[in-house]
Amino acid sequence: MPYILISTQIRMEVGPTMVGDEHSDPSLMNFLGATRRNVLGNNFSEYYVNDAPRVVLDKLESCGYRVVSMTGVGQTLVWCLHKE
């Protein structure tokens, strides 16, 4: 999987950070220390960590991922990363 999206809502200094969905690479999610959960009302699951986005970005950089783009959507921040 060469692409990954991570996001955080409202407070980017402390987390939690969403790091994947139900189709994410289990070994990468394990490396990040992510926990899989289903949020009430959603028909999908997501992976999250309690780390701040900066910590997650540092971990992903050490695996060879680079930020391609970043945007804000309301009170949510989203980063798109790519691994070559």
Side-chain angles (χ1 to χ4, degrees):
M1 288 188 173
Y3 287 95
I4 187 170
L5 292 175
I6 69 167
S7 65
T8 189
Q9 295 179 336
I10 303 171
R11 295 282 317 247
M12 67 180 251
E13 298 87 2
V14 295
T17 304
M18 301 309 142
V19 295
D21 60 22
E22 57 207 30
H23 305 292
S24 296
D25 178 9
S27 61
L28 180 60
M29 296 299 107
N30 187 50
F31 170 76
L32 294 173
T35 303
R36 188 173 174 168
R37 70 176 179 186
N38 288 329
V39 176
L40 184 63
N42 290 346
N43 63 351
F44 59 90
S45 59
E46 60 191 10
Y47 285 94
Y48 78 99
V49 295
N50 286 322
D51 296 329
R54 180 191 57 78
V55 174
V56 175
L57 290 167
D58 287 346
K59 287 180 180 180
L60 289 169
E61 182 182 38
S62 74
C63 293
Y65 285 90
R66 300 290 178 256
V67 174
V68 175
S69 65
M70 185 268 184
T71 190
V73 182
Q75 292 185 343
T76 301
L77 298 174
V78 182
W79 292 263
C80 177
L81 295 92
H82 184 267
K83 181 177 182 177
E84 300 223 8

Coordinates of all heavy atoms in Angstrom, one line a residue:
M1 N 0.8 -1.2 0.0 CA 0.0 0.0 0.0 C 0.9 1.2 0.0 O 1.5 1.6 1.0 CB -0.9 0.0 1.2 CG -2.0 -1.0 1.2 SD -3.0 -0.7 2.6 CE -4.3 -1.8 2.3
P2 N 1.0 1.9 -1.1 CA 1.9 3.1 -1.2 C 1.3 4.4 -0.6 O 2.0 5.3 -0.2 CB 2.1 3.3 -2.6 CG 0.9 2.7 -3.3 CD 0.4 1.6 -2.4
Y3 N -0.1 4.4 -0.4 CA -0.7 5.6 0.2 C -1.3 5.4 1.5 O -1.8 4.3 1.8 CB -1.8 6.2 -0.7 CG -1.3 6.8 -2.0 CD1 -1.2 6.1 -3.2 CD2 -0.9 8.2 -2.0 CE1 -0.7 6.7 -4.3 CE2 -0.4 8.7 -3.2 CZ -0.3 8.0 -4.3 OH 0.1 8.6 -5.5
I4 N -1.3 6.4 2.4 CA -1.9 6.3 3.7 C -2.5 7.7 4.0 O -1.9 8.7 3.6 CB -1.0 5.8 4.8 CG1 -1.8 5.6 6.1 CG2 0.2 6.8 5.0 CD1 -1.0 4.9 7.2
L5 N -3.7 7.8 4.6 CA -4.3 9.0 5.0 C -4.3 9.0 6.6 O -4.7 8.0 7.1 CB -5.7 9.2 4.5 CG -5.9 9.4 3.1 CD1 -7.4 9.4 2.8 CD2 -5.3 10.7 2.6
I6 N -3.9 10.1 7.2 CA -4.1 10.2 8.6 C -4.8 11.5 8.9 O -4.8 12.4 8.1 CB -2.7 10.2 9.4 CG1 -1.9 11.4 9.2 CG2 -2.0 8.9 9.1 CD1 -0.8 11.6 10.1
S7 N -5.6 11.5 10.0 CA -6.4 12.7 10.3 C -6.5 12.9 11.8 O -6.4 11.9 12.6 CB -7.7 12.7 9.6 OG -8.5 11.6 10.2
T8 N -6.8 14.1 12.2 CA -7.1 14.4 13.6 C -8.2 15.5 13.6 O -8.4 16.2 12.6 CB -5.9 14.9 14.3 OG1 -6.2 14.9 15.7 CG2 -5.4 16.2 13.8
Q9 N -9.0 15.5 14.7 CA -10.1 16.5 14.8 C -9.8 17.4 15.9 O -9.3 17.0 17.0 CB -11.4 15.8 15.0 CG -11.8 14.9 13.8 CD -13.1 14.2 14.1 OE1 -13.5 14.0 15.2 NE2 -13.8 13.9 13.0
I10 N -10.1 18.6 15.7 CA -10.1 19.7 16.7 C -8.7 20.0 17.3 O -8.2 21.1 17.1 CB -11.1 19.4 17.8 CG1 -12.5 19.2 17.2 CG2 -11.2 20.5 18.9 CD1 -13.6 18.8 18.2
R11 N -8.1 19.1 18.1 CA -6.8 19.4 18.7 C -5.7 18.6 18.1 O -5.6 17.4 18.4 CB -6.9 19.1 20.2 CG -7.9 19.9 21.0 CD -7.4 21.3 21.3 NE -6.0 21.3 21.8 CZ -5.6 21.6 23.0 NH1 -6.4 21.9 23.9 NH2 -4.3 21.6 23.2
M12 N -4.9 19.2 17.3 CA -3.8 18.4 16.7 C -2.6 18.3 17.6 O -1.7 17.5 17.3 CB -3.4 19.0 15.3 CG -2.7 20.4 15.4 SD -2.3 21.0 13.8 CE -0.5 20.8 13.8
E13 N -2.5 19.0 18.7 CA -1.4 18.9 19.6 C -1.3 17.6 20.4 O -0.3 17.2 20.9 CB -1.3 20.1 20.5 CG -1.2 21.4 19.9 CD -2.5 22.0 19.5 OE1 -3.6 21.5 19.8 OE2 -2.5 23.1 18.8
V14 N -2.5 17.0 20.7 CA -2.5 15.9 21.6 C -3.1 14.6 21.0 O -2.9 13.5 21.7 CB -3.3 16.3 22.9 CG1 -2.6 17.4 23.6 CG2 -4.7 16.7 22.5
G15 N -3.7 14.6 19.9 CA -4.3 13.4 19.4 C -5.7 13.2 20.0 O -6.2 14.1 20.7
P16 N -6.4 12.1 19.7 CA -5.9 11.0 19.0 C -5.8 11.2 17.5 O -6.3 12.2 17.0 CB -7.0 9.9 19.2 CG -8.3 10.7 19.4 CD -7.8 12.0 20.1
T17 N -5.2 10.4 16.8 CA -4.9 10.5 15.3 C -5.5 9.2 14.7 O -5.2 8.1 15.1 CB -3.4 10.6 15.0 OG1 -2.9 11.7 15.7 CG2 -3.2 10.8 13.5
M18 N -6.3 9.4 13.7 CA -6.8 8.3 12.9 C -5.8 7.9 11.9 O -5.3 8.8 11.2 CB -8.1 8.7 12.1 CG -9.3 9.1 13.0 SD -9.6 8.0 14.3 CE -10.0 9.2 15.6
V19 N -5.4 6.7 11.8 CA -4.3 6.3 11.0 C -4.6 5.2 9.9 O -3.8 4.8 9.1 CB -3.1 5.7 11.8 CG1 -2.5 6.8 12.7 CG2 -3.5 4.6 12.7
G20 N -5.9 4.8 9.9 CA -6.2 3.8 8.9 C -7.7 3.4 8.9 O -8.4 3.7 9.8
D21 N -8.1 2.6 7.9 CA -9.4 2.0 7.8 C -9.3 0.5 7.9 O -8.3 -0.1 8.1 CB -10.1 2.5 6.6 CG -9.5 2.1 5.3 OD1 -8.7 1.2 5.3 OD2 -9.7 2.8 4.3
E22 N -10.5 -0.1 7.7 CA -10.5 -1.6 7.8 C -9.7 -2.3 6.7 O -9.4 -3.5 6.9 CB -12.0 -2.1 7.7 CG -12.6 -1.6 6.4 CD -14.1 -1.5 6.6 OE1 -14.6 -1.2 7.7 OE2 -14.8 -1.7 5.6
H23 N -9.2 -1.6 5.7 CA -8.4 -2.2 4.7 C -6.9 -1.9 4.8 O -6.1 -2.3 3.9 CB -8.9 -1.8 3.3 CG -10.4 -2.0 3.1 ND1 -10.9 -3.3 2.9 CD2 -11.4 -1.2 3.0 CE1 -12.2 -3.2 2.8 NE2 -12.5 -1.9 2.8
S24 N -6.5 -1.3 5.9 CA -5.1 -0.9 6.1 C -4.2 -2.1 6.4 O -4.7 -3.1 6.9 CB -5.0 0.1 7.3 OG -5.7 1.3 6.9
D25 N -3.0 -1.9 6.1 CA -2.0 -3.0 6.3 C -1.8 -3.3 7.8 O -1.4 -2.4 8.6 CB -0.6 -2.5 5.8 CG 0.5 -3.4 6.0 OD1 0.3 -4.6 6.4 OD2 1.7 -3.0 5.7
P26 N -2.2 -4.5 8.2 CA -2.1 -4.8 9.7 C -0.7 -4.7 10.3 O -0.6 -4.3 11.4 CB -2.6 -6.3 9.7 CG -3.3 -6.5 8.4 CD -2.7 -5.6 7.4
S27 N 0.3 -5.0 9.5 CA 1.7 -4.8 10.1 C 2.0 -3.4 10.3 O 2.7 -3.0 11.3 CB 2.7 -5.5 9.2 OG 2.7 -5.0 7.9
L28 N 1.6 -2.5 9.4 CA 1.8 -1.1 9.6 C 1.0 -0.5 10.8 O 1.5 0.2 11.6 CB 1.5 -0.3 8.3 CG 1.7 1.3 8.4 CD1 3.2 1.6 8.7 CD2 1.3 1.9 7.1
M29 N -0.2 -1.0 10.9 CA -1.0 -0.5 12.0 C -0.4 -1.0 13.4 O -0.4 -0.3 14.4 CB -2.5 -1.1 11.9 CG -3.2 -0.5 10.7 SD -3.4 1.3 10.7 CE -2.3 1.8 9.4
N30 N 0.1 -2.2 13.4 CA 0.8 -2.7 14.5 C 2.0 -1.9 14.9 O 2.3 -1.6 16.0 CB 1.2 -4.2 14.3 CG 1.7 -4.8 15.6 OD1 1.1 -4.7 16.7 ND2 2.9 -5.5 15.5
F31 N 2.8 -1.5 13.9 CA 4.0 -0.7 14.1 C 3.6 0.6 14.7 O 4.3 1.2 15.6 CB 4.7 -0.5 12.7 CG 5.8 0.6 12.8 CD1 7.0 0.3 13.4 CD2 5.6 1.8 12.3 CE1 8.0 1.2 13.5 CE2 6.6 2.8 12.4 CZ 7.8 2.5 12.9
L32 N 2.5 1.2 14.3 CA 2.1 2.5 14.8 C 1.4 2.4 16.2 O 1.2 3.4 16.8 CB 1.1 3.2 13.8 CG 1.6 3.6 12.5 CD1 0.5 4.0 11.6 CD2 2.7 4.6 12.6
G33 N 1.1 1.1 16.6 CA 0.5 0.9 17.9 C -1.0 1.2 17.8 O -1.6 1.6 18.8
A34 N -1.6 1.1 16.6 CA -3.0 1.5 16.4 C -4.0 0.4 16.9 O -3.7 -0.8 17.0 CB -3.2 1.7 14.9
T35 N -5.1 0.9 17.3 CA -6.2 0.1 17.8 C -7.4 0.2 16.8 O -7.7 1.3 16.4 CB -6.7 0.6 19.2 OG1 -5.6 0.5 20.1 CG2 -7.8 -0.3 19.8
R36 N -8.0 -0.9 16.5 CA -9.1 -0.9 15.6 C -10.4 -0.7 16.4 O -10.6 -1.3 17.4 CB -9.2 -2.2 14.8 CG -10.2 -2.2 13.7 CD -10.1 -3.5 12.9 NE -11.1 -3.5 11.9 CZ -11.2 -4.4 10.9 NH1 -10.2 -5.3 10.8 NH2 -12.2 -4.4 10.1
R37 N -11.3 0.2 15.9 CA -12.6 0.4 16.6 C -13.7 0.7 15.6 O -13.4 1.1 14.5 CB -12.5 1.6 17.6 CG -12.3 2.9 16.9 CD -12.3 4.1 17.9 NE -12.2 5.3 17.2 CZ -12.0 6.5 17.8 NH1 -12.0 6.5 19.1 NH2 -11.9 7.6 17.1
N38 N -14.9 0.4 16.0 CA -16.1 0.8 15.3 C -16.8 1.9 16.1 O -17.1 1.7 17.2 CB -17.1 -0.4 15.1 CG -16.5 -1.4 14.2 OD1 -15.8 -1.1 13.2 ND2 -16.9 -2.7 14.4
V39 N -17.1 3.0 15.4 CA -17.8 4.1 16.1 C -19.3 3.9 15.8 O -19.7 3.6 14.7 CB -17.3 5.5 15.5 CG1 -18.1 6.6 16.1 CG2 -15.8 5.7 15.8
L40 N -20.0 4.1 16.9 CA -21.5 4.0 16.8 C -22.1 4.8 15.6 O -21.8 6.0 15.5 CB -22.1 4.4 18.1 CG -23.6 4.2 18.2 CD1 -24.0 2.7 18.1 CD2 -24.2 4.7 19.5
G41 N -22.8 4.2 14.8 CA -23.4 4.9 13.7 C -22.7 4.7 12.4 O -23.2 5.0 11.3
N42 N -21.4 4.3 12.4 CA -20.6 4.0 11.2 C -20.7 2.6 10.8 O -20.7 1.7 11.7 CB -19.2 4.4 11.4 CG -19.0 5.9 11.5 OD1 -19.8 6.7 11.2 ND2 -17.8 6.3 12.0
N43 N -20.7 2.3 9.5 CA -20.7 0.9 9.1 C -19.3 0.5 8.6 O -19.2 -0.4 7.8 CB -21.8 0.7 8.0 CG -21.4 1.5 6.7 OD1 -20.6 2.4 6.7 ND2 -22.2 1.3 5.7
F44 N -18.3 1.1 9.2 CA -16.9 0.7 8.9 C -16.1 0.8 10.2 O -16.5 1.5 11.1 CB -16.4 1.6 7.8 CG -16.4 3.1 8.2 CD1 -15.3 3.7 8.8 CD2 -17.5 3.9 7.9 CE1 -15.4 5.0 9.2 CE2 -17.6 5.2 8.2 CZ -16.5 5.8 8.9
S45 N -14.9 0.2 10.2 CA -14.0 0.4 11.3 C -12.9 1.3 10.9 O -12.6 1.5 9.7 CB -13.6 -1.0 11.8 OG -12.9 -1.7 10.8
E46 N -12.2 1.8 11.9 CA -11.0 2.6 11.7 C -10.0 2.3 12.7 O -10.2 1.8 13.8 CB -11.4 4.1 11.8 CG -12.0 4.5 13.1 CD -12.6 5.9 13.1 OE1 -12.8 6.5 12.1 OE2 -13.0 6.3 14.2
Y47 N -8.7 2.6 12.4 CA -7.6 2.5 13.3 C -7.2 3.9 13.9 O -7.2 4.8 13.1 CB -6.4 1.9 12.6 CG -6.5 0.4 12.3 CD1 -6.9 0.0 11.1 CD2 -6.1 -0.5 13.3 CE1 -7.0 -1.4 10.9 CE2 -6.1 -1.9 13.0 CZ -6.6 -2.3 11.8 OH -6.6 -3.6 11.5
Y48 N -6.9 3.9 15.1 CA -6.5 5.2 15.7 C -5.4 4.9 16.8 O -5.2 3.8 17.2 CB -7.7 5.9 16.4 CG -8.0 5.3 17.7 CD1 -7.6 5.9 18.9 CD2 -8.8 4.2 17.8 CE1 -7.9 5.4 20.1 CE2 -9.1 3.6 19.0 CZ -8.7 4.2 20.2 OH -9.0 3.7 21.4
V49 N -4.6 6.0 17.0 CA -3.6 6.0 18.1 C -3.8 7.2 19.0 O -4.4 8.2 18.5 CB -2.2 6.0 17.5 CG1 -1.8 4.7 16.7 CG2 -1.9 7.2 16.7
N50 N -3.4 7.1 20.2 CA -3.5 8.3 21.1 C -2.4 9.3 20.9 O -2.5 10.3 21.5 CB -3.6 7.8 22.5 CG -4.9 7.2 22.9 OD1 -6.0 7.6 22.4 ND2 -4.9 6.1 23.6
D51 N -1.5 9.0 20.0 CA -0.4 10.0 19.7 C -0.9 11.2 18.9 O -1.9 11.1 18.2 CB 0.7 9.3 18.9 CG 1.4 8.1 19.6 OD1 1.4 8.2 20.9 OD2 1.8 7.2 19.0
A52 N -0.1 12.3 19.1 CA -0.4 13.5 18.3 C 0.0 13.2 16.8 O 0.9 12.3 16.6 CB 0.4 14.6 18.9
P53 N -0.5 13.9 15.9 CA -0.2 13.7 14.5 C 1.3 13.8 14.2 O 1.9 13.0 13.4 CB -0.9 14.8 13.7 CG -2.1 15.0 14.6 CD -1.6 14.9 16.0
R54 N 2.0 14.7 14.9 CA 3.5 14.9 14.7 C 4.2 13.6 15.0 O 5.1 13.2 14.3 CB 4.0 16.0 15.6 CG 5.5 16.3 15.4 CD 6.0 17.2 16.5 NE 5.8 16.8 17.8 CZ 6.5 15.8 18.4 NH1 7.4 15.2 17.8 NH2 6.2 15.4 19.7
V55 N 3.8 12.9 16.1 CA 4.5 11.7 16.4 C 4.2 10.6 15.4 O 5.1 9.9 15.0 CB 4.0 11.2 17.8 CG1 4.5 9.8 18.2 CG2 4.3 12.2 18.9
V56 N 3.0 10.5 14.9 CA 2.6 9.6 13.8 C 3.4 9.9 12.5 O 3.9 9.0 11.9 CB 1.1 9.6 13.6 CG1 0.8 8.7 12.4 CG2 0.4 9.2 14.8
L57 N 3.5 11.1 12.2 CA 4.2 11.5 11.0 C 5.7 11.2 11.1 O 6.3 10.7 10.1 CB 4.1 13.0 10.7 CG 2.7 13.5 10.2 CD1 2.5 15.0 10.3 CD2 2.4 13.0 8.9
D58 N 6.3 11.3 12.3 CA 7.7 11.0 12.5 C 7.9 9.4 12.3 O 8.8 9.0 11.7 CB 8.2 11.4 13.9 CG 8.4 12.9 14.0 OD1 8.4 13.6 13.0 OD2 8.5 13.3 15.2
K59 N 6.9 8.7 12.9 CA 7.0 7.2 12.7 C 6.9 6.8 11.3 O 7.6 5.9 10.8 CB 5.9 6.5 13.5 CG 6.2 6.6 15.0 CD 5.0 5.9 15.8 CE 5.2 5.9 17.3 NZ 4.1 5.2 18.0
L60 N 5.9 7.4 10.5 CA 5.7 7.0 9.1 C 6.9 7.5 8.3 O 7.3 6.7 7.3 CB 4.4 7.7 8.6 CG 3.2 7.0 9.2 CD1 1.9 7.8 8.8 CD2 3.0 5.6 8.7
E61 N 7.6 8.6 8.6 CA 8.8 9.0 7.9 C 9.9 8.0 8.0 O 10.6 7.7 7.1 CB 9.2 10.4 8.3 CG 10.4 10.8 7.6 CD 10.9 12.2 8.0 OE1 10.9 12.4 9.3 OE2 11.4 13.0 7.2
S62 N 10.0 7.4 9.2 CA 11.0 6.4 9.5 C 10.8 5.1 8.7 O 11.7 4.3 8.5 CB 11.1 6.1 11.0 OG 10.0 5.3 11.4
C63 N 9.5 4.9 8.2 CA 9.2 3.8 7.3 C 9.3 4.1 5.9 O 9.0 3.3 5.0 CB 7.8 3.3 7.6 SG 7.5 2.6 9.3
G64 N 9.7 5.3 5.5 CA 9.8 5.7 4.1 C 8.6 6.5 3.5 O 8.6 6.7 2.3
Y65 N 7.6 6.8 4.3 CA 6.5 7.6 3.9 C 6.9 9.1 3.8 O 7.6 9.6 4.7 CB 5.3 7.4 4.7 CG 4.6 6.1 4.5 CD1 5.0 5.0 5.3 CD2 3.6 5.9 3.6 CE1 4.3 3.8 5.1 CE2 3.0 4.7 3.4 CZ 3.3 3.6 4.1 OH 2.7 2.4 3.9
R66 N 6.3 9.8 2.8 CA 6.5 11.2 2.7 C 5.2 11.9 2.5 O 4.3 11.4 1.9 CB 7.4 11.6 1.5 CG 8.8 11.0 1.5 CD 9.6 11.6 2.6 NE 10.9 11.0 2.7 CZ 11.3 10.2 3.6 NH1 10.5 9.9 4.6 NH2 12.5 9.7 3.7
V67 N 5.0 13.1 3.1 CA 3.7 13.8 3.0 C 3.6 14.3 1.6 O 4.5 15.0 1.0 CB 3.7 15.0 4.0 CG1 2.4 15.9 3.7 CG2 3.7 14.5 5.4
V68 N 2.5 14.0 1.0 CA 2.2 14.5 -0.4 C 1.3 15.8 -0.3 O 1.5 16.7 -1.1 CB 1.4 13.4 -1.2 CG1 1.0 13.9 -2.6 CG2 2.2 12.2 -1.3
S69 N 0.3 15.8 0.6 CA -0.5 16.9 0.8 C -1.1 17.0 2.1 O -1.1 15.9 2.8 CB -1.6 17.0 -0.3 OG -2.5 15.9 -0.1
M70 N -1.6 18.1 2.5 CA -2.3 18.3 3.8 C -3.4 19.3 3.6 O -3.2 20.3 2.8 CB -1.3 18.8 4.8 CG -1.8 18.9 6.2 SD -2.4 20.6 6.5 CE -2.8 20.4 8.2
T71 N -4.5 19.1 4.3 CA -5.6 20.1 4.2 C -6.4 20.1 5.4 O -6.3 19.2 6.3 CB -6.5 19.8 3.0 OG1 -7.4 20.8 2.7 CG2 -7.3 18.5 3.2
G72 N -7.2 21.2 5.6 CA -8.1 21.3 6.7 C -9.5 21.2 6.2 O -9.9 21.8 5.2
V73 N -10.4 20.4 6.8 CA -11.8 20.3 6.4 C -12.6 20.5 7.7 O -12.7 19.7 8.6 CB -12.1 18.8 5.9 CG1 -13.5 18.7 5.5 CG2 -11.1 18.5 4.8
G74 N -13.2 21.7 7.8 CA -13.9 22.0 9.1 C -12.9 22.0 10.2 O -11.9 22.7 10.2
Q75 N -13.1 21.2 11.2 CA -12.2 21.1 12.4 C -11.4 19.8 12.3 O -10.8 19.4 13.3 CB -13.0 21.1 13.7 CG -13.7 22.4 13.9 CD -14.3 22.5 15.3 OE1 -14.6 21.5 15.9 NE2 -14.6 23.7 15.8
T76 N -11.2 19.3 11.1 CA -10.4 18.1 10.8 C -9.2 18.4 10.0 O -9.4 19.2 9.0 CB -11.3 17.0 10.1 OG1 -12.4 16.7 10.9 CG2 -10.5 15.7 9.9
L77 N -8.1 17.9 10.3 CA -6.9 18.0 9.5 C -6.5 16.7 8.9 O -6.6 15.7 9.6 CB -5.7 18.5 10.3 CG -5.9 19.9 11.0 CD1 -4.7 20.2 11.9 CD2 -6.0 21.0 9.9
V78 N -6.2 16.7 7.6 CA -5.9 15.4 6.9 C -4.6 15.5 6.2 O -4.3 16.5 5.5 CB -7.0 15.1 5.9 CG1 -6.7 13.8 5.2 CG2 -8.4 15.1 6.5
W79 N -3.7 14.5 6.4 CA -2.5 14.4 5.7 C -2.5 13.1 4.8 O -3.0 12.1 5.1 CB -1.3 14.2 6.6 CG -1.0 15.3 7.5 CD1 0.0 16.2 7.3 CD2 -1.6 15.6 8.8 NE1 0.0 17.1 8.4 CE2 -1.0 16.8 9.3 CE3 -2.7 15.1 9.5 CZ2 -1.4 17.4 10.5 CZ3 -3.0 15.7 10.7 CH2 -2.4 16.8 11.2
C80 N -2.0 13.3 3.5 CA -1.9 12.2 2.6 C -0.4 11.9 2.5 O 0.4 12.8 2.2 CB -2.5 12.5 1.2 SG -2.3 11.2 0.0
L81 N 0.0 10.7 2.7 CA 1.4 10.3 2.6 C 1.6 9.2 1.5 O 0.7 8.4 1.3 CB 1.9 9.7 3.9 CG 1.9 10.8 5.1 CD1 0.7 10.7 5.9 CD2 3.1 10.5 6.0
H82 N 2.8 9.1 0.9 CA 3.1 8.1 -0.1 C 4.4 7.5 0.2 O 5.3 8.2 0.7 CB 3.1 8.8 -1.5 CG 3.3 7.8 -2.6 ND1 4.6 7.6 -3.1 CD2 2.5 7.1 -3.3 CE1 4.5 6.7 -4.0 NE2 3.2 6.4 -4.2
K83 N 4.5 6.2 0.0 CA 5.8 5.5 0.1 C 6.2 4.9 -1.2 O 5.4 4.3 -1.9 CB 5.6 4.3 1.1 CG 6.8 3.5 1.3 CD 6.6 2.4 2.4 CE 7.9 1.7 2.6 NZ 7.6 0.7 3.7
E84 N 7.4 5.3 -1.6 CA 7.9 4.8 -2.9 C 8.5 3.4 -2.8 O 9.0 3.0 -1.8 CB 8.9 5.8 -3.5 CG 8.3 7.1 -3.6 CD 8.6 7.9 -4.9 OE1 9.3 7.2 -5.8 OE2 8.2 9.0 -5.0

